Amino acid sequence: MTEKIEQLQSIIDKSDNIVFFGGAGVSTESNIPDFRSTDGIYNQKYKYPPEIILSHDFFEAKTEEFYEFYKDKMLYLDAKPNKAHLWLAKAERAKKVSTVITQNIDGLHQKAGSKRVFELHGTVHRNYCQECFKCYDAEYVKNSTGIPRCECGGILKPDVVLYDESLDPYIYTSALRSVESSDTLIIAGTSLTVYPAASLVDHFCGRYLVLINRDATPKDSLADLVIHGSVGEILDKINI
């Protein structure tokens, strides 16, 4: 591991435009569960499978049951940024990391201080009325009883990408262009199995591709450096 950390330090030192692409494994160190691990959300037992509950059709058909799950399992409003989030914000201030692309919806990158963040799957911190489009914060949703509603009576919808919904084309295109223009792409805490987000790596044509993840990914063979372990603990060893 020491040798791999030294390799990563060397790559960081030689890079001028690093893009970081992270998944659920970046936030597990903030005690937010991931989806596909043994103890992840998808391996817990509910009346309906989580991927069904978190679909647009389920939201429309069974809104109250959607919100029972959503408030219980998707809103971690007391979570704090961990070493990975803090390192990335520091690296941005040092003009090493230009962009953070995240599949997470928890807002922890912004809370840590990162400014240029593309949230591919949206954020729990924006919720809008489907009637008048007034916006509400996550605390309002968390503290609501039953289905959260606007003062006009309309049902609120979280600004997150549910199953059967498309990614925001502006966000995705901006993320893709960032990847294309980077000299180093660090992918961390993601299984690279969720598309179209996982396809971003296919557009990288820079110098160094780094993969940091607890488990192997389908793209490991393409990387210049693969490190298996905790994202925050690994990045915390890198000097900026």
Side-chain angles (χ1 to χ4, degrees):
M1 180 63 78
T2 300
E3 181 180 346
K4 287 184 178 263
I5 295 297
E6 291 174 353
Q7 291 179 45
L8 180 57
Q9 182 70 65
S10 176
I11 288 173
I12 299 297
D13 291 343
K14 290 184 284 189
S15 301
D16 298 313
N17 181 10
I18 300 169
V19 168
F20 179 90
F21 172 37
V26 175
S27 290
T28 52
E29 293 167 63
S30 295
N31 296 317
I32 296 178
D34 63 8
F35 287 84
R36 291 174 172 79
S37 67
T38 304
D39 298 320
I41 290 173
Y42 283 3
N43 288 312
Q44 299 178 32
K45 301 299 181 184
Y46 300 99
K47 183 178 177 181
Y48 302 95
E51 58 267 34
I52 298 299
I53 300 174
L54 295 174
S55 69
H56 177 80
D57 286 347
F58 193 92
F59 172 81
E60 292 289 336
K62 298 180 180 293
T63 309
E64 187 164 4
E65 290 181 77
F66 168 90
Y67 269 115
E68 286 177 5
F69 178 88
Y70 181 82
K71 293 178 192 178
D72 186 40
K73 295 298 180 183
M74 306 303 291
L75 295 180
Y76 294 86
L77 305 186
D78 294 329
K80 300 290 191 293
N82 60 51
K83 292 176 181 178
H85 301 107
L86 297 171
W87 185 90
L88 287 163
K90 180 181 178 181
E92 182 186 72
R93 292 192 296 270
K95 302 190 183 304
K96 277 290 186 181
V97 170
S98 64
T99 306
V100 170
I101 303 167
T102 181
Q103 294 173 284
N104 297 333
I105 58 176
D106 50 47
L108 290 181
H109 286 294
Q110 291 92 331
K111 189 179 287 189
S114 290
K115 303 299 183 185
R116 184 176 167 84
V117 181
F118 293 123
E119 297 170 307
L120 294 177
H121 297 152
T123 176
V124 300
H125 296 286
R126 291 190 303 269
N127 304 272
Y128 62 89
C129 173
Q130 296 185 103
E131 299 295 329
C132 72
F133 302 105
K134 180 177 179 178
C135 288
Y136 291 82
D137 61 21
E139 285 78 10
Y140 182 90
V141 171
K142 182 78 169 179
N143 296 328
S144 64
T145 301
I147 299 172
R149 293 182 178 272
C150 175
E151 58 186 14
C152 79
I155 295 174
L156 301 189
K157 182 184 182 299
D159 191 10
V160 299
V161 179
L162 302 177
Y163 286 98
D164 305 324
E165 293 183 331
S166 300
L167 302 186
D168 182 304
Y170 171 78
I171 296 296
Y172 182 77
T173 300
S174 299
L176 187 151
R177 288 175 177 167
S178 296
V179 168
E180 289 178 334
S181 64
S182 65
D183 57 13
T184 294
L185 176 62
I186 300 176
I187 301 174
T190 173
S191 62
L192 289 175
T193 58
V194 177
Y195 283 82
S199 65
L200 285 173
V201 65
D202 299 327
H203 296 271
F204 176 66
C205 51
R207 294 180 65 192
Y208 302 108
L209 175 61
V210 177
L211 286 174
I212 305 172
N213 198 44
R214 184 189 59 192
D215 304 313
T217 79
K219 304 291 187 180
D220 281 11
S221 61
L222 303 177
D224 298 285
L225 177 62
V226 177
I227 307 178
H228 292 149
S230 161
V231 180
E233 294 299 326
I234 290 167
L235 291 180
D236 193 50
K237 292 180 170 65
I238 303 301
N239 297 317
I240 294 294

